[in-house]
Amino acid sequence: MTVSLPLRMAAPGAAALLTFAAGSALAQEASFNGSLSAGLRYYTEDGLYAGQSSSGVEAFGEMTLGGEIALGAGRLTFDLDGILDSTGTLDRGNIAELHYSQSFGDWSLLAGFHTENWGVAESRSVMNVMNPVDGTDPLVQDTLLGTPMVNLNYHSGIGTFSAYALLGFIEPTFPKGDEGRFRSLLQWDPDRAYYEEDRDARNVDLALRYAGYFALGNGSLDVQATYFNGTSREALAMPGCINALGPVNEAMCDAINDAIADGIAQGDMPVDADDFWDTMDDIMTDDLASALSGLPPVAGLIPYYRKVEQVGLSAVYALNDLQLRAEASWHDVGTEEYLSAVVGGDYTFNGLGGGDGDLTVVMEYLYDDRGALQPVTVFEDDLFLGMNYRLNNARDTEVKLGVFHDISSEARLYTLRLSSRLTDSSSFEVNASHATTTGWNDPLAFIKDDSFVEVKLTTYF
């Protein structure tokens, strides 16, 4: 039976398990590592919506703690991370790994919190389905949140066959509070989360995966096929309770959202979503959208998690300095089927300019044909161009530039990351992001005033 297991409830259990394991591992092999980071982020403009932070500097700190402990015939692996910032809007904790694993012959077993990244694309993954995403800071950290599971693997001569049973439901995180950046006019209200199946009726979510490696011509081919059946980790937004127009009791709120959820599940909404947005295009102007953005939120967005069957396929072909890759996933949510895909590749220029540096140039096309009654994505018809320059020096200096270009709307999202070591136990990082839009209904209009530059210093131990 699947149970909701928010991170705030899982953390005490994780600490207790670590304490027990550490005590049991006395006189056995153990290794630990961690890092502490401090940074400053400068927003170049005031937030678009009422209550959001003003332009200026905000401080944040991060911590990671990881390691392995020999435990009987297997190992306990843990990787915990968290972040705190001066506004409280980015605060997050994540049990990325906290599991016991053991190998026996051609088989291996894992049980506990685990993060499994199935993606092969540089820009974004459309195959990851088991682990929810941290949505509090999406432009800097594409972080997957750990999920409790049992994973059994069979390693054969033709590849690895894996089965997963997901034993708990970790919710994705959302921008927090009025001050939070990277949010829409309406705020998420995760405390009112809805599920297509009643929590007591949900079964264990199941997933299967095959991964294989083959020589092909003068290159190599990595292939992957996946299957998932369970509750989606992406949330569909339902309207919350409007309190500014008068008192709304919990019973009334629940009744309204029960009716909406039933309509979504049956694909029979009283107002067609596409017709609604066509009407909005006719009546909305940039001036009106700007006026509405100055109003305090009167309603929230309630996350609605539907059941989904998902089949994923990926392939990566590497030939010398050229790499071609594609990943795609087909989703069946009962009332609708849709396809998400990323296709492209990269080429690396080694010893650029006669030096030691390597330049990798990336190009990928992103496609998604989901309807209006599915979780929102801004990557429906986009081109991604990227550049990754590695100096290959003693400081591991690296510069990454990327731009997402929406082919339909001309909206663009620019990202920059510069990283380098200062010493053997410290490093610095610079991140920046900027969005350009042409109107209120551009897919990136909600973050058009959230451009920033940040500097982060990290020490390792």
Side-chain angles (χ1 to χ4, degrees):
M1 179 178 296
T2 304
V3 295
S4 179
L5 189 58
L7 193 56
R8 59 181 178 271
M9 296 174 60
L17 182 54
L18 277 176
T19 302
F20 169 77
S24 301
L26 291 176
Q28 298 193 59
E29 180 186 354
S31 63
F32 301 91
N33 60 79
S35 67
L36 291 172
S37 302
L40 297 174
R41 175 177 294 185
Y42 176 76
Y43 286 103
T44 61
E45 299 177 85
D46 295 342
L48 176 63
Y49 303 112
Q52 284 186 313
S53 60
S54 302
S55 63
V57 176
E58 297 178 4
F60 64 91
E62 300 178 17
M63 182 183 72
T64 66
L65 179 63
E68 288 188 343
I69 302 171
L71 198 61
R75 307 188 69 83
L76 177 74
T77 301
F78 62 95
D79 184 359
L80 315 176
D81 62 80
I83 181 171
L84 296 171
D85 81 324
S86 56
T87 66
T89 59
L90 299 182
D91 294 356
R92 170 188 56 77
N94 178 28
I95 307 174
E97 306 288 344
L98 182 55
H99 61 255
Y100 175 82
S101 60
Q102 182 178 343
S103 298
F104 36 97
D106 294 331
W107 297 82
S108 62
L109 177 69
L110 179 151
F113 279 79
H114 181 51
T115 303
E116 183 103 3
N117 189 342
W118 290 342
V120 299
E122 175 73 16
S123 54
R124 69 180 295 263
S125 173
V126 298
M127 290 185 65
N128 288 326
V129 64
M130 296 194 299
N131 298 91
V133 174
D134 170 30
T136 58
D137 200 12
L139 300 188
V140 172
Q141 303 187 57
D142 187 16
T143 303
L144 296 176
L145 304 178
T147 294
M149 65 179 71
V150 175
N151 168 218
L152 181 64
N153 304 286
Y154 174 65
H155 309 277
S156 74
I158 61 171
T160 300
F161 298 84
S162 304
Y164 306 82
L166 278 63
L167 306 179
F169 188 87
I170 301 295
E171 299 175 6
T173 56
F174 304 97
K176 301 175 183 177
D178 291 349
E179 288 188 275
R181 296 288 189 139
F182 317 117
R183 68 169 177 86
S184 66
L185 174 62
L186 304 181
Q187 296 180 32
W188 288 94
D189 186 1
D191 291 335
R192 296 183 183 272
Y194 265 71
Y195 298 85
E196 183 170 358
E197 285 190 325
D198 182 81
R199 192 168 300 177
D200 294 333
R202 296 204 306 273
N203 298 317
V204 172
D205 296 338
L206 300 175
L208 301 172
R209 176 178 182 251
Y210 165 76
Y213 168 86
F214 305 93
L216 184 61
N218 294 324
S220 61
L221 178 67
D222 289 273
V223 296
Q224 181 181 209
T226 63
Y227 173 77
F228 176 84
N229 189 330
T231 300
S232 173
R233 270 60 180 171
E234 286 187 292
L236 172 64
M238 294 200 310
C241 298
I242 301 177
N243 295 306
L245 303 182
V248 179
N249 60 42
E250 292 295 321
M252 183 183 301
C253 182
D254 290 342
I256 293 172
N257 283 291
D258 283 343
I260 294 174
D262 288 344
I264 293 173
Q266 297 170 14
D268 184 24
M269 293 294 291
V271 178
D272 182 80
D274 293 325
D275 289 343
F276 170 78
W277 287 113
D278 288 342
T279 302
M280 290 293 290
D281 282 336
D282 292 336
I283 65 174
M284 184 68 75
T285 65
D286 288 341
D287 289 339
L288 179 56
S290 178
L292 291 175
S293 69
L295 298 175
V298 297
L301 298 175
I302 294 178
Y304 177 39
Y305 302 99
R306 302 193 64 184
K307 280 190 65 66
V308 63
E309 274 192 277
Q310 177 175 321
V311 175
L313 295 171
S314 74
V316 179
Y317 180 69
L319 176 63
N320 299 322
D321 298 322
L322 175 67
Q323 187 177 100
L324 303 175
R325 54 182 172 265
E327 61 174 283
S329 58
W330 171 83
H331 311 252
D332 182 357
V333 291
T335 57
E336 180 183 349
E337 299 176 5
Y338 64 92
L339 175 69
S340 304
V342 183
V343 60
D346 62 60
Y347 187 85
T348 299
F349 300 89
N350 296 294
L352 191 67
D356 296 327
D358 298 330
L359 175 66
T360 299
V361 179
V362 184
M363 178 180 292
E364 293 178 344
Y365 173 68
L366 298 87
Y367 172 80
D368 197 298
D369 66 351
R370 70 184 66 191
L373 290 180
Q374 302 304 325
V376 173
T377 180
V378 300
F379 303 107
E380 296 178 326
D381 183 26
D382 295 75
L383 185 65
F384 173 78
L385 299 174
M387 182 197 78
N388 185 4
Y389 182 57
R390 297 172 296 276
L391 273 66
N392 293 325
N393 57 7
R395 302 299 185 190
D396 294 328
T397 304
E398 185 176 8
V399 182
K400 298 183 74 172
L401 295 171
V403 56
F404 291 89
H405 173 77
D406 189 291
I407 297 174
S408 302
S409 73
E410 303 296 321
R412 290 182 180 177
L413 174 63
Y414 301 88
T415 61
L416 163 69
R417 174 170 295 177
L418 165 65
S419 62
S420 184
R421 282 190 174 273
L422 297 172
T423 67
D424 289 342
S425 59
S426 64
S427 67
F428 81 93
E429 187 175 301
V430 177
N431 293 293
S433 177
H434 175 67
T436 62
T437 63
T438 58
W440 73 270
N441 59 347
D442 271 2
L444 298 176
F446 70 105
I447 60 168
K448 72 181 186 69
D449 290 344
D450 290 339
S451 301
F452 68 86
V453 178
E454 73 172 29
V455 177
K456 180 171 69 174
L457 299 177
T458 302
T459 181
Y460 306 92
F461 57 86

